[in-house]
Amino acid sequence: MDKLAELFQFGQPKSAQQKIKGTMVIQKKNVLDLNDFNAGITDDVSELFGRGVSFQLVSTSQIDSSNGIGKLSKKAPLQNWISTHEGVLTGQTTYGVEFDWDSSFGIPGAFFITNSHHHEFFLNSLTLQVPGNGNVHFDCNSWVYPASKYNRERVFFSNRSFLPANSPPALTKLRNEELRNLRGEYDGMAETERKECDRVYDYDFYNDLGNPDKNLELSRPVLGGSEQFPYPRRGRTGRPRTKTEPASESRLALDMSLDIYVPRDERFGHLKLSDFLAYSLKSVAQFLVPELKSLFDSTPNEFDSFEDVMKLYSDGIKLPDNPILDAAKNLIPLELIKEFLTTDGQKLLKYPLPPVISNDKFAWRKDEEFARQMLAGVDPVVIQRLQSFPPRSKLDPEMYGPQISCITASHIEKNLDGLTVEQALEDNKLFILDHHDVFMPYVNRINALPTTKIYASRTILFLKKDGTLRPVAIELSLPASEGRESVRKVFTPAEEGADGALWQLAKAYVAVNDSGYHQLISHWLKTHAVTEPFVIATNRQLSVMHPVYKLLSPHFRDTMNINALARQTLINGGGILERTVFPGKYAMEMSAVAYKDWRFDEQGLPTDLLKRGMAMVDSSMSHGLKLMIEDYPYAVDGLEIWFAIVSWVKEYLSLYYQNDDAVKSDAELQAWWTEIRNVGHGDKKEETWWYRMEKVEDVEKAITTIIWVASALHAAVNFGQYPYAGYMPNRPTISRRLIPEEGSEELSEVVQNPDLFLLRTISNQFETTLGIALIEILSRQSTDEVYLGQRATNEWSGDERVTEAFERFGMKLKEIEKNIRERNEDAEKLKHRCGPAQLPYTLLYPNTSDVSHKGGLTGIGIPNSVSI
């Protein structure tokens, strides 16, 4: 009877007291930061004095009427902090924690954590064993700083997803408060300079590229917020303004580059950092640049032959004895040392052999390979079908010369396999790589720079009977300038004599233009820059409990960090990009002008192909599209990837949005989309092409496009950089003089030694060495890479329907891998798959099946996010 009485109070059953056992996975700071050995000692001392780590569970079913949130459990301490040792390789440590619990408390949906140590730690996950309810998992992946660093308690939610209207009432207030915290709305945080421990996401203009306080030559215009230079927004750091130009933000010292602010959880993980990325970027900028410049300034700064270029990969460049270089070597992690420096004591800057020359050192010079790379190279997103002849400019003829190209039918019909221009147009066999209008307004300014001479260019190509492309004409143009009328020159294919040499030079000018367009627009602007506002808005407006947040979050991993590092060392005034790509100080403002034509609704692959005339609607085809070039590797592989993403996104969203009303009534989703349009891409807010976000279809299109851009599109334009551009003559980034005039002494030099003239026209030794160092770093897959169709953890969703749908997505991607392998093996029929360089197209090979975590210069794999 006594036991029975204990179970009842005032005639009501009393829940039996039980225990919830939890398993916490943590990475300690002293493991992840090997330079901070004191962190482990001081935190252990804190434990001895009772200042440890504690937790409180939050009920999903019982609400505390005094504060409107779920009932809290008693605080429970983390167990055995001192005696538990971390894993040797991963740095992960597993701890236990026990909570008092009774069934009336219900299932925990969140927990508070208090860190009373002196140092932060990385909280991977918490798994609770709830009696009678199985496991409840919390996928945390967040740095937890000492409680004194926060103005609000840290809260984490379980891996269950809910639309706002379906959120458990006991968690609704916490859900909203956490979003306010991330927006910096508490205690005036929105206006303060950011500290390392801050978790605030906010926007700013690109006003930190210049350094006018150091040198007015390093002044750069603010990008964003103006009609002249519109731009996507970046993450706000809150640094003070410069004294010289109040509209510009001050910059960190170069040796502080790794400390540039991004919210702490957006920083690289320890594996990626140890993979040398950040340190190698810093080393190249801080140490190798001045030393190489000094070295090359004291020697002839030129390649004398293609054999000289090849020595970069066989012999390397011997660097001088210098303590600064020794310091650089100490900063560069082991992997970079193994790749760049020999281990026999000699200081050699040495690079891996680029795949484009690994099978044939001169295949890159062939017209077929030149054309193939427009379809299967590192920038396969620019070529268009020519729909009228001759090509026309949209620029003001008073400023930039005649609008109509001077390429005539007589220039190209000799290479059209017996067709007239009209017949070739009607048969959809003419294509164009058009770098005329985008560069022409800047040509005179760029050519006034000390070491650069470029042209605006148009390249006409013809689709042959065997399905391959070949170039048939190149037009190089200069606008009128003081004392000179506008210039237009046309070159056609030739193999010998002066015409053959000039044809090779003309192709080099086209390659220079395409290299610049690729780096500034196809790569930086259209993947890195345009994605960052989506990252910021997602963290500010979508709760971690929101299904769209869970769907998108892996596609935003490391993007803010790599973009911040780029602003600090790559795209800044005087940075590596300005030193190695022809627009120099005009580079970033040119990308802002290109952003004027950017439309979110045209970033999906099918729409892009249709816009460029590379496909037409055809319901009889498997994807409803007919490609104008059947053997277009980027498009063929890309369409399979695109529609796999479409299916996955549709299936996932259907689990949460049963009808359009659910979209309209989703307050978080509507706030997210409004902020993207009005703030993140605020210079485009008046455009009518934005999806209205009133239908499930609108959500599907938007999410699919975001995932495509962050994963497949970025992979296509990033990871081929070293395979193709690691050999500078194939894709030079700078041209240093104009093409010789008829009857000039320079023309005689071309005829006498065309190879030497070409090498003295394009990037010199210093520019080449620095450029290769950069793209070698940017083309590497990280050892902790998570590919499309993979997740960092298996417990990312608490819904079996979601995990089953995701498994189907992964299986589809593995099927696509098989298809790509088979197409690459059919190189006899599909000649663009490998081409004369015998370099198979693998840039859109998903690599979902790879769990080896090897990384490196693989040239394959679609990472989930813009992370490099």
Side-chain angles (χ1 to χ4, degrees):
M1 294 294 296
D2 290 338
K3 287 288 184 184
L4 187 60
E6 288 178 11
L7 294 174
F8 289 82
Q9 288 184 339
F10 307 108
Q12 296 295 326
K14 177 184 176 182
S15 300
Q17 286 291 318
Q18 300 182 66
K19 296 285 187 182
I20 287 182
K21 291 186 177 182
T23 302
M24 182 76 66
V25 180
I26 283 176
Q27 291 166 286
K28 297 180 181 180
K29 183 177 189 289
N30 66 302
V31 176
L32 301 185
D33 184 354
L34 297 179
N35 294 319
D36 196 347
F37 297 108
N38 292 328
I41 297 173
T42 55
D43 290 343
D44 288 351
V45 171
S46 295
E47 285 282 331
L48 292 174
F49 283 90
R51 297 190 301 272
V53 179
S54 61
F55 306 85
Q56 277 186 293
L57 301 180
V58 182
S59 171
T60 57
S61 55
Q62 289 197 13
I63 299 177
D64 186 335
S65 60
S66 66
N67 57 23
I69 68 173
K71 179 182 175 182
L72 301 180
S73 70
K74 292 180 181 179
K75 283 194 174 184
L78 191 67
Q79 300 168 349
N80 302 321
W81 175 275
I82 298 176
S83 61
T84 305
H85 300 286
E86 61 275 357
V88 175
L89 296 178
T90 66
Q92 293 183 351
T93 313
T94 300
Y95 297 92
V97 60
E98 285 191 354
F99 301 89
D100 292 330
W101 177 83
D102 62 59
S103 58
S104 66
F105 185 90
I107 298 175
F111 70 86
F112 288 106
I113 183 170
T114 302
N115 176 12
S116 299
H117 290 164
H118 291 283
H119 298 92
E120 69 273 20
F121 56 81
F122 188 78
L123 176 57
N124 295 82
S125 64
L126 170 66
T127 302
L128 302 176
Q129 296 174 345
V130 182
N133 292 279
N135 289 347
V136 176
H137 187 80
F138 297 79
D139 214 19
C140 305
N141 296 312
S142 180
W143 284 92
V144 178
Y145 277 75
S148 59
K149 299 284 188 181
Y150 296 125
N151 51 25
R152 312 286 294 183
E153 285 187 279
R154 287 301 310 274
V155 64
F156 292 91
F157 299 92
S158 76
N159 62 355
R160 296 294 303 276
S161 296
F162 303 96
L163 295 179
N166 301 328
S167 184
L171 302 180
T172 299
K173 184 177 179 181
L174 287 179
R175 177 175 181 150
N176 294 333
E177 286 180 348
E178 175 69 354
L179 286 174
R180 292 187 63 192
N181 196 35
L182 292 170
R183 293 195 290 265
E185 295 179 7
Y186 292 112
D187 301 332
M189 287 182 65
E191 301 303 322
T192 59
E193 183 174 356
R194 303 290 183 252
K195 302 184 293 294
E196 177 189 297
C197 61
D198 287 343
R199 302 172 57 239
V200 179
Y201 294 79
D202 204 356
Y203 304 91
D204 211 336
F205 303 125
Y206 275 70
N207 60 355
D208 63 342
L209 301 179
N211 196 353
D213 285 352
K214 180 178 181 180
N215 187 333
L216 285 177
E217 284 294 312
L218 296 177
S219 175
R220 296 293 181 268
V222 173
L223 305 184
S226 69
E227 186 175 345
Q228 183 182 14
F229 298 127
Y231 221 63
R233 303 301 188 255
R234 55 137 176 128
R236 185 177 183 274
T237 69
R239 292 194 304 268
R241 299 304 174 98
T242 62
K243 297 176 183 177
T244 310
E245 296 176 358
S248 295
E249 186 175 88
S250 60
R251 294 181 55 77
L252 291 177
L254 193 60
D255 60 359
M256 298 291 290
S257 294
L258 296 181
D259 295 327
I260 190 169
Y261 174 79
V262 293
R264 188 66 178 90
D265 293 341
E266 300 298 331
R267 289 197 175 198
F268 294 144
H270 75 291
L271 282 176
K272 186 150 194 168
L273 206 56
S274 68
D275 272 350
F276 73 78
L277 172 66
Y279 282 117
S280 56
L281 285 175
K282 188 171 95 170
S283 298
V284 168
Q286 186 171 350
F287 300 105
L288 296 184
V289 169
E291 285 305 307
L292 289 174
K293 186 68 173 174
S294 173
L295 170 65
F296 291 136
D297 279 351
S298 62
T299 63
N301 187 14
E302 299 288 352
F303 294 111
D304 294 324
S305 65
F306 290 119
E307 286 71 22
D308 275 359
V309 181
M310 291 300 296
K311 289 177 182 178
L312 287 172
Y313 318 104
S314 58
D315 301 342
I317 294 177
K318 191 171 189 314
L319 300 178
D321 291 326
N322 191 294
I324 296 180
L325 279 179
D326 290 335
K329 183 174 178 180
N330 290 333
L331 277 178
I332 301 174
L334 180 61
E335 290 177 65
L336 193 61
I337 294 172
K338 285 192 296 185
E339 292 292 347
F340 285 175
L341 304 177
T342 60
T343 56
D344 58 4
Q346 296 186 39
K347 295 173 181 175
L348 293 175
L349 197 60
K350 186 177 177 181
Y351 300 98
L353 188 67
V356 74
I357 56 170
S358 62
N359 292 306
D360 184 336
K361 288 194 297 185
F362 294 104
W364 62 273
R365 304 193 76 169
K366 297 179 180 178
D367 288 354
E368 293 86 348
E369 181 64 22
F370 173 74
R372 182 191 79 93
Q373 290 183 27
M374 300 177 197
L375 302 171
V378 71
D379 194 22
V381 296
V382 184
I383 187 172
Q384 305 172 59
R385 179 164 56 91
L386 187 63
Q387 302 189 45
S388 64
F389 186 87
R392 267 187 175 274
S393 168
K394 297 178 182 178
L395 299 175
D396 183 354
E398 295 294 323
M399 296 181 64
Y400 303 111
Q403 289 183 322
I404 299 178
S405 168
C406 65
I407 300 175
T408 64
S410 61
H411 285 125
I412 67 174
E413 285 187 341
K414 56 189 176 184
N415 287 306
L416 300 186
D417 290 351
L419 299 178
T420 65
V421 168
E422 290 75 16
Q423 289 171 329
L425 281 174
E426 185 177 346
D427 292 346
N428 297 316
K429 290 184 175 294
L430 290 179
F431 298 83
I432 183 170
L433 187 72
D434 195 342
H435 290 312
H436 183 277
D437 285 13
V438 69
F439 290 139
M440 184 64 93
Y442 279 88
V443 166
N444 283 339
R445 280 177 278 179
I446 291 170
N447 287 351
L449 297 173
T451 60
T452 306
K453 295 292 182 286
I454 69 159
Y455 294 90
S457 63
R458 295 182 177 108
T459 305
I460 307 295
L461 303 107
F462 174 69
L463 183 64
K464 295 161 43 178
K465 292 178 181 178
D466 66 357
T468 61
L469 272 185
R470 73 176 173 209
V472 294
I474 292 173
E475 181 184 46
L476 302 178
S477 303
L478 299 172
S481 63
E482 188 174 342
R484 188 199 68 207
E485 295 183 350
S486 61
V487 174
R488 296 186 295 168
K489 297 173 180 285
V490 177
F491 302 88
T492 57
E495 294 184 2
E496 299 178 351
D499 289 342
L502 291 175
W503 173 245
Q504 291 295 333
L505 276 175
K507 290 196 295 181
Y509 287 109
V510 172
V512 167
N513 282 355
D514 199 56
S515 293
Y517 188 94
H518 163 257
Q519 287 289 15
L520 298 172
I521 299 169
S522 300
H523 182 203
W524 167 258
L525 173 67
K526 292 189 175 181
T527 63
H528 283 260
V530 301
T531 297
E532 187 159 355
F534 291 97
V535 181
I536 299 170
T538 299
N539 283 278
R540 285 169 54 88
Q541 300 297 345
L542 297 180
S543 165
V544 295
M545 301 171 68
H546 198 290
V548 170
Y549 178 95
K550 277 195 167 53
L551 179 57
L552 286 178
S553 60
H555 301 290
F556 295 151
R557 178 178 182 246
D558 294 339
T559 300
M560 290 188 72
N561 202 165
I562 192 62
N563 285 3
L565 284 172
R567 299 198 314 274
Q568 182 66 14
T569 61
L570 297 182
I571 62 174
N572 58 300
I576 297 176
L577 193 69
E578 287 192 0
R579 292 170 181 262
T580 58
V581 179
F582 71 84
K585 68 179 183 180
Y586 300 110
M588 289 303 291
E589 69 173 76
M590 284 179 63
S591 72
V593 173
Y595 178 64
K596 293 179 180 181
D597 295 326
W598 179 85
R599 291 179 51 154
F600 178 73
D601 65 328
E602 292 179 344
Q603 302 312 299
L605 180 58
T607 305
D608 171 62
L609 292 171
L610 291 169
K611 180 185 178 183
R612 291 190 283 122
M614 300 301 290
M616 63 173 56
V617 175
D618 186 339
S619 59
S620 67
M621 304 300 288
S622 59
H623 298 306
L625 292 175
K626 178 183 178 181
L627 293 176
M628 297 295 96
I629 299 177
E630 182 181 344
D631 183 15
Y632 183 179
Y634 164 74
V636 173
D637 297 358
L639 284 171
E640 289 195 0
I641 300 292
W642 168 267
F643 284 103
I645 297 172
V646 168
S647 297
W648 155 237
V649 170
K650 281 187 175 182
E651 186 171 5
Y652 179 89
L653 292 177
S654 70
L655 301 175
Y656 300 96
Y657 296 103
Q658 274 72 48
N659 50 54
D660 294 341
D661 288 339
V663 172
K664 296 175 187 175
S665 62
D666 185 341
E668 288 183 9
L669 184 79
Q670 296 300 325
W672 172 72
W673 194 244
T674 297
E675 185 167 285
I676 288 167
R677 173 174 175 170
N678 293 333
V679 185
H681 284 280
D683 296 331
K684 297 281 189 178
K685 63 183 177 183
E686 301 301 330
E687 301 287 358
T688 58
W689 41 255
W690 288 102
Y691 299 127
R692 298 176 65 86
M693 211 52 68
E694 294 178 346
K695 301 178 180 178
V696 176
E697 182 183 6
D698 293 337
V699 189
E700 293 170 350
K701 288 180 178 179
I703 301 301
T704 300
T705 301
I706 293 168
I707 294 175
W708 164 260
V709 169
S711 59
L713 179 60
H714 178 258
V717 299
N718 182 75
F719 293 104
Q721 290 185 86
Y722 196 83
Y724 287 99
Y727 184 66
M728 178 274 300
N730 182 52
R731 285 188 68 81
T733 58
I734 290 175
S735 49
R736 294 177 283 152
R737 55 181 172 181
L738 297 175
I739 208 159
E741 297 291 338
E742 191 72 35
S744 67
E745 184 177 331
E746 284 188 326
L747 187 59
S748 299
E749 293 178 27
V750 172
V751 175
Q752 291 172 6
N753 195 335
D755 290 353
L756 181 62
F757 195 93
L758 173 64
L759 290 169
R760 296 291 168 86
T761 298
I762 56 180
S763 312
N764 62 31
Q765 282 188 344
F766 169 67
E767 295 153 351
T768 296
T769 306
L770 180 58
I772 293 175
L774 172 63
I775 63 172
E776 198 274 348
I777 293 163
L778 299 183
S779 300
R780 284 182 173 269
Q781 301 277 14
S782 173
T783 54
D784 69 342
E785 204 64 80
V786 182
Y787 295 107
L788 193 66
Q790 297 177 349
R791 289 281 175 140
T793 66
N794 294 325
E795 298 84 9
W796 66 276
S797 174
D799 190 328
E800 287 187 6
R801 299 173 303 167
V802 169
T803 54
E804 289 171 359
F806 189 66
E807 286 177 8
R808 286 190 286 275
F809 177 49
M811 293 302 296
K812 180 61 179 177
L813 292 172
K814 292 174 185 177
E815 181 183 320
I816 293 171
E817 292 177 0
K818 177 175 177 290
N819 295 342
I820 291 173
R821 289 194 301 270
E822 290 176 352
R823 284 193 287 269
N824 284 341
E825 290 167 1
D826 193 12
E828 187 64 32
K829 176 184 177 183
L830 303 175
K831 300 181 186 299
H832 290 150
R833 299 299 305 191
C834 298
Q838 301 171 53
L839 176 53
Y841 187 72
T842 57
L843 297 177
L844 286 177
Y845 185 89
N847 216 29
T848 310
S849 57
D850 182 12
V851 293
S852 66
H853 301 293
K854 290 182 179 179
L857 281 172
T858 64
I860 65 172
I862 302 176
N864 273 322
S865 62
V866 180
S867 59
I868 184 68

